[in-house]
Amino acid sequence: MAGQFDEARAKASKVLGESVVKELAGKGYEAEYVASKEEALAAVLKLIPSGASVGVPGTVTIREIGAMEKLAERGCKIYQHWNPSLTPAERGQVLADENAADYFLTSSNAITRDGKLVNIDGNGNRVSGMAWGRSPIIYVIGINKVTANLDEAISRARGAAIPNVLRLNGSTPCSQAGHCVDCNSPARICNALLIMERAAGGRKSHVIIVGENLGF
Ligand code: SF4
């Protein structure tokens, strides 16, 4: 029967999500658990005022919760380089603008149960925006990205590269094999690895853990 075990799944997600939130709070983050992507969107809209500028790097999760449309409706200026019509020069400028906006809105490739954020990046723009920036940073992270430890988190982050390569119709060894082979391909999109052991200093960092599967 459809949905027969959904309640048990939701309870398990809540227990795990709230436990991660507690760990994050001890590492300098503002953190909260929400059950659904609709609640995640509401939480994001509560944190970002109308008219603010928002930098959104490469993230499927933020798009999946419908934040791009809602922020635009509220008069927010969104900087995002996922726009195929940008020239290389325009794209370079937008990458810089993302990191200089009033808010930096992103997800994370993985988060350990004890609250460490792990991300792998091709250009390095997303991980640099996470490690350093003047503006508040907001992470939205699906419960599917919680891992037991750092090794699992790094492995998960590399695995996330595969659907991203396929999304872009790219060709890397992993897009053929279905798993990472630590390639030396010119198309490799895993060039920078960032582990945030605690919230970055000098800015507000807010994490929303969502009790649904989101992103890659
Ligand atoms: S095979 Fe290359 S591009 Fe694919 S996940 Fe591994 S390092 Fe990244």
Side-chain angles (χ1 to χ4, degrees):
M1 187 190 302
Q4 188 182 0
F5 303 109
D6 286 352
E7 194 181 333
R9 281 195 195 94
K11 279 183 185 166
S13 293
K14 187 168 190 288
V15 171
L16 176 59
E18 288 181 345
S19 157
V20 176
V21 161
K22 207 176 284 177
E23 296 286 345
L24 287 165
K27 289 180 161 55
Y29 294 93
E30 291 178 356
E32 62 184 304
Y33 174 80
V34 299
S36 66
K37 57 176 176 289
E38 291 78 16
E39 288 175 50
L41 175 59
V44 166
L45 297 178
K46 212 158 118 188
L47 292 166
I48 300 179
S50 300
S53 63
V54 187
V56 183
T59 154
V60 169
T61 296
I62 298 306
R63 290 159 174 95
E64 261 187 331
I65 66 169
M68 307 298 271
E69 298 81 0
K70 282 289 172 202
L71 289 167
E73 274 173 28
R74 289 160 48 117
C76 290
K77 169 74 181 163
I78 299 174
Y79 294 106
Q80 59 143 337
H81 65 280
W82 277 11
N83 176 351
S85 68
L86 294 175
T87 64
E90 289 168 338
R91 190 169 181 275
Q93 184 58 54
V94 173
L95 285 166
D97 291 340
E98 286 173 4
N99 287 2
D102 297 333
Y103 290 83
F104 193 69
L105 178 60
T106 185
S107 185
S108 179
N109 292 138
I111 179 168
T112 61
R113 285 180 203 150
D114 66 351
K116 296 188 180 89
L117 301 174
V118 175
N119 284 278
I120 287 179
D121 211 355
N123 293 320
N125 64 298
R126 191 170 54 99
V127 295
S128 65
M130 290 170 172
W132 186 87
R134 292 166 296 174
S135 53
I137 180 166
I138 302 166
Y139 298 90
V140 180
I141 307 172
I143 200 75
N144 51 313
K145 294 183 173 181
V146 178
T147 65
N149 53 47
L150 272 178
D151 283 347
E152 262 188 33
I154 292 168
S155 170
R156 187 186 197 289
R158 286 203 194 285
I162 301 168
N164 268 315
V165 170
L166 294 170
R167 176 179 63 77
L168 298 167
N169 294 320
S171 178
T172 54
C174 58
S175 69
Q176 309 296 317
H179 59 85
C180 177
V181 297
D182 195 13
C183 72
N184 196 27
S185 162
R188 175 173 168 134
I189 64 169
C190 309
N191 298 325
L193 168 66
L194 176 73
I195 299 170
M196 293 296 296
E197 298 202 319
R198 298 181 66 82
R203 73 195 303 197
K204 196 176 273 193
S205 298
H206 193 106
V207 183
I208 301 164
I209 304 288
V210 189
E212 285 187 15
N213 292 351
L214 290 168
F216 296 149

